[in-house]
Amino acid sequence: MKFTSTVCLFAAIGLAGPAVAADPFYIGGWTFTTAVVAPWADPQRKADGAERARLMSKTIVFGAREISGPRPFACARPLYKVTDYSPDMLFQGAFDEMQRADKKADPKAIAAALGFTSARIKTLETGCEIDVHFVDDATAEVGLNDYVYTLKKR
C-alpha cells in the first residue's frame, strides 16, 4: 500500500519518468504554397519559373537531425538557431542592400508587403545556406533566387 501511494505521488508531481520536452515550433512538415517575385529581383530580367514550378506543393521536413525535401533545402546536418531579425536583415540582408542602393526603399515597408508586421521577425538559421523567416508559427517564408516562397505548416 505504501509503495502504491509513493508511485502515485511521484506520478502526480511528474517524477515518475524522464521529462519530455516539446519539439520546437518549426519541427515537422512545411509545404510550399505560394511564390512571388522577390522585391530584390531585377525587373529587367524575367524570373525563372521552372524552379518555382518544381517547388510548388512540395514539402520540407525539419527534423531534429536533418532537413528533408527538394534541392536545395535538404540538409544532412542542420545547426538550428532561432533568432530575431529586424526587417533590414531578412533574406540575408537583401532589404538593407535595397535601401543602400535606393534611400527610398524602406525595409519595414518591404517586409510588411510580404506579411511581416513585427519589428522583430523570428528566423530559423539552419546552418545549411537557407534561413527561414516566420510570419507566425504556421507560416514561413524563404528566399531563393528571384522568389519569396511561402511555406505552411502541415
Side-chain angles (χ1 to χ4, degrees):
M1 180 79 161
K2 186 170 183 146
F3 175 76
T4 305
S5 299
T6 304
V7 169
C8 289
L9 175 63
F10 284 149
I13 61 173
L15 298 175
V20 178
D23 284 335
F25 72 94
Y26 54 83
I27 295 293
W30 294 77
T31 302
F32 288 91
T33 59
T34 61
V36 297
V37 174
W40 59 82
D42 181 351
Q44 303 301 318
R45 203 176 91 214
K46 183 172 172 37
D48 179 13
E51 184 174 63
R52 177 188 180 280
R54 179 179 65 83
L55 293 173
M56 284 296 93
S57 300
K58 298 290 192 274
T59 298
I60 297 174
V61 177
F62 294 100
R65 291 187 173 84
E66 75 174 339
I67 301 171
S68 61
R71 287 181 294 103
F73 298 95
C75 178
R77 291 183 196 83
L79 299 172
Y80 296 125
K81 179 181 176 188
V82 177
T83 58
D84 287 336
Y85 279 15
S86 56
D88 60 321
M89 295 307 298
L90 291 176
F91 305 105
Q92 299 177 344
F95 299 166
D96 182 53
E97 285 183 33
M98 291 172 66
Q99 187 176 47
R100 280 190 266 141
D102 177 2
K103 295 295 180 204
K104 294 178 190 169
D106 177 10
K108 289 180 188 174
I110 299 167
L114 292 171
F116 299 102
T117 58
S118 177
R120 305 302 297 168
I121 294 103
K122 197 180 315 183
T123 297
L124 175 64
E125 297 173 1
T126 64
C128 304
E129 299 184 32
I130 302 290
D131 292 338
V132 183
H133 309 288
F134 294 90
V135 174
D136 56 47
D137 284 353
T139 308
E141 294 183 359
V142 295
L144 181 61
N145 298 324
D146 289 335
Y147 284 98
V148 173
Y149 295 90
T150 299
L151 300 164
K152 291 287 188 174
K153 191 158 191 182
R154 294 190 320 178

